[in-house]
Amino acid sequence: MLIPAHYELMERALSNDKDRESIKSVANEIRLLLNPHPAGQQEYNVPEIEGHRLHGLQHKYRETVLFFPSSGQTCHSYCTFCFRWPQFVGIDELKFAMNETELLVKYLEAHQEVTDILFTGGDPMIMSYRVFYKYIEPFISDNNKTNIQTIRIGTKVLAYWPYKFLTDEDANDFLNLFKEITSKGINLAFMSHFSHPKELETAAVKMAIMKLRSSGVQIRTQSPVLKHINDKAEIWAEMWRKQVNLNCIPYYMFVERDTGAQPYFALPLVETWNIFRKAYQMVSGVCRTVRGPSMSCTPGKVQILGVGKIDQQKIFVLRFIQGRNPDWVAKPFFACYDENAIWMNDLKPVFSKKFFFEDEAELIYEEKCTDSGIHSFE
Ligand SMILES: *Cc1c(COP(=O)(O)O)cnc(C)c1O
């Protein structure tokens, strides 16, 4: 999956009989060339409270904070297309993680605009019940002073280890905790990664979904479009239909990010959009809760609404689903048609030198880099 230049570097290191350490350092050199932190994650999204930078938190969009609990930074399995690959390659400076919930809770108490906390990783569902409970406790305790109304868990557990909720020792503890959370009026959502309908076919996954649903858990589904894996409209239509039949809610279709093995998995944006469009046409409205194709880039989540035409000239029609400035959201904007473009930075505005949000985005990045890093959207 390496591009030829990187492959040659590694090939040379291996054939020169280098020692383990030098091979590792060649691997790390290559890793650093693979854009380990796309979308300005390390520079612009790190919040602060009482002078502490919270490296295990990302606060990019007003309502939602991403939380990387330090105990949730491994996975059930490692996907070759994972955009969070730096979490797993043993270069600590590249890793986001946070140990303590105390600072997290302080941050959330001070930021009442945050309604959603998204536990992510790695995979938070790698945690045992006892560890996981410690992270959840503040939100169900009677002294909870945060404004958290939704707890989301980004996970591939249903596809990779549905036994977590069936036969694992602490399966029932988890299900009971989920009941307790949801009976407090908190929305508990599994942001469940399924990249192929096959992952929805086992008896185990069906049973696990049923058990979660009976504990009040909402299951929303998402995946990137991946060459060699799910790059056909029929696959997506079947996957959404199967998800809805199992009472899961299709949520996002993503564009493979500009990191890691992107050259191996990415498709041109036009092709991705065609897969979305054709699949969307094949299913009924209940499956069309899905939004996409969506690029998570530095200014926000950009949706490819499609290819339009003005005066015989093809153009991309885009919009923000999420923006660093909420005011950018849901305003259509345009980019020159380019059949080879695979990511936002390949796109050029049509009617002006810059996209409408660019100047303001620059100001936001400057502010985030130079001073506290605390997001202020006032
Ligand atoms: C996608 C995303 C979210 C959640 O956005 P929703 O549209 O509410 O699902 C939050 N933070 C970051 C950094 C994201 O990429």
Side-chain angles (χ1 to χ4, degrees):
M1 292 171 189
L2 296 174
I3 60 168
H6 296 160
Y7 184 90
E8 277 160 31
L9 277 177
M10 183 45 78
E11 191 181 34
R12 226 176 301 143
L14 289 169
S15 58
N16 288 351
D17 268 341
K18 291 202 173 181
D19 56 273
R20 263 185 85 83
E21 279 311 303
S22 358
I23 291 172
K24 199 165 142 190
S25 80
V26 173
N28 285 346
E29 268 168 48
I30 297 172
R31 284 168 174 150
L32 292 172
L33 295 170
L34 298 177
N35 191 22
H37 291 301
Q41 294 182 91
Q42 240 173 4
E43 308 93 289
Y44 310 131
N45 299 351
V46 184
E48 247 180 43
I49 187 95
E50 295 174 0
H52 299 277
R53 297 200 88 197
L54 306 181
H55 282 286
L57 275 197
Q58 279 183 31
H59 190 185
K60 180 169 176 179
Y61 307 128
R62 188 173 53 195
E63 291 80 13
T64 307
V65 156
L66 260 53
F67 176 43
F68 296 75
S70 58
S71 321
Q73 300 315 310
T74 55
C75 268
H76 302 89
S77 178
Y78 295 100
C79 306
T80 42
F81 51 81
C82 183
F83 75 92
R84 290 269 170 70
W85 60 269
Q87 298 294 87
F88 319 120
V89 297
I91 311 180
D92 279 348
E93 309 85 82
L94 291 186
K95 208 164 155 170
F96 315 109
M98 196 153 109
N99 232 323
E100 327 163 77
T101 38
E102 200 182 312
L103 286 175
L104 163 72
V105 170
K106 272 194 182 151
Y107 184 80
L108 295 176
E109 284 173 354
H111 289 267
Q112 294 288 313
E113 76 277 16
V114 179
T115 53
D116 291 35
I117 178 162
L118 203 166
F119 284 72
T120 185
D123 192 326
M125 280 297 108
I126 207 82
M127 284 188 250
S128 69
Y129 172 75
R130 277 172 36 165
V131 176
F132 182 72
Y133 181 79
K134 288 259 185 296
Y135 289 113
I136 291 293
E137 195 182 8
F139 304 106
I140 51 176
S141 114
D142 289 336
N143 341 321
N144 173 21
K145 292 187 208 60
T146 71
N147 187 25
I148 293 301
Q149 298 166 42
T150 285
I151 298 174
R152 306 194 219 179
I153 317 241
T155 183
K156 211 164 187 321
V157 68
L158 283 169
Y160 279 156
W161 192 246
Y163 311 100
K164 176 96 179 161
F165 309 111
L166 303 177
T167 52
D168 274 11
E169 217 170 32
D170 48 9
N172 283 329
D173 296 327
F174 269 108
L175 295 171
N176 289 333
L177 177 63
F178 295 161
K179 258 186 213 145
E180 189 183 343
I181 297 170
T182 53
S183 65
K184 294 227 170 216
I186 294 172
N187 170 234
L188 177 59
F190 265 50
M191 310 309 286
S192 223
H193 179 176
F194 290 108
S195 23
H196 198 279
K198 278 281 167 219
E199 295 172 319
L200 295 151
E201 285 174 9
T202 63
V205 72
K206 292 179 187 170
M207 182 61 77
I209 289 172
M210 242 166 63
K211 292 212 172 208
L212 288 174
R213 299 242 323 123
S214 351
S215 311
V217 178
Q218 197 171 60
I219 302 167
R220 296 180 183 267
T221 58
Q222 52 190 17
S223 171
V225 181
L226 302 156
K227 194 158 69 185
H228 314 292
I229 296 181
N230 62 17
D231 53 347
K232 287 196 176 59
E234 291 74 18
I235 295 178
W236 281 85
E238 184 190 346
M239 183 160 74
W240 292 333
R241 192 64 250 180
K242 286 204 156 102
Q243 288 167 354
V244 167
N245 292 354
L246 293 165
N247 294 299
C248 302
I249 308 163
Y251 191 64
Y252 274 139
M253 175 202 257
F254 290 117
V255 176
E256 176 66 359
R257 287 196 187 193
D258 55 338
T259 181
Q262 182 199 32
Y264 184 82
F265 290 108
L267 295 159
L269 297 176
V270 191
E271 274 183 52
T272 305
W273 167 65
N274 271 317
I275 292 169
F276 178 86
R277 180 173 70 89
K278 288 180 188 153
Y280 196 82
Q281 288 172 4
M282 280 181 227
V283 293
S284 87
V286 289
C287 301
R288 292 184 187 167
T289 48
V290 67
R291 290 162 306 153
S294 167
M295 287 181 277
S296 289
C297 40
T298 317
K301 277 191 171 65
V302 174
Q303 181 182 16
I304 301 145
L305 285 174
V307 177
K309 249 187 195 173
I310 293 181
D311 277 349
Q312 303 306 311
Q313 191 197 349
K314 278 188 187 173
I315 51 161
F316 278 118
V317 185
L318 310 159
R319 70 168 194 158
F320 280 101
I321 296 175
Q322 281 289 6
R324 282 184 189 271
N325 178 347
D327 191 49
W328 300 341
V329 171
K331 292 178 180 167
F333 64 99
F334 310 101
C336 298
Y337 180 77
D338 174 352
E339 62 182 15
N340 298 316
I342 60 171
W343 193 249
M344 188 64 187
N345 52 10
D346 300 324
L347 298 180
K348 306 270 174 301
V350 187
F351 302 112
S352 49
K353 280 215 168 63
K354 288 181 179 178
F355 288 117
F356 79 92
F357 54 87
E358 279 189 90
D359 285 336
E360 209 182 328
E362 285 304 324
L363 290 176
I364 295 175
Y365 307 151
E366 265 169 45
E367 181 192 326
K368 299 246 172 298
C369 259
T370 51
D371 69 34
S372 66
I374 291 181
H375 288 226
S376 115
F377 290 94
E378 279 83 50

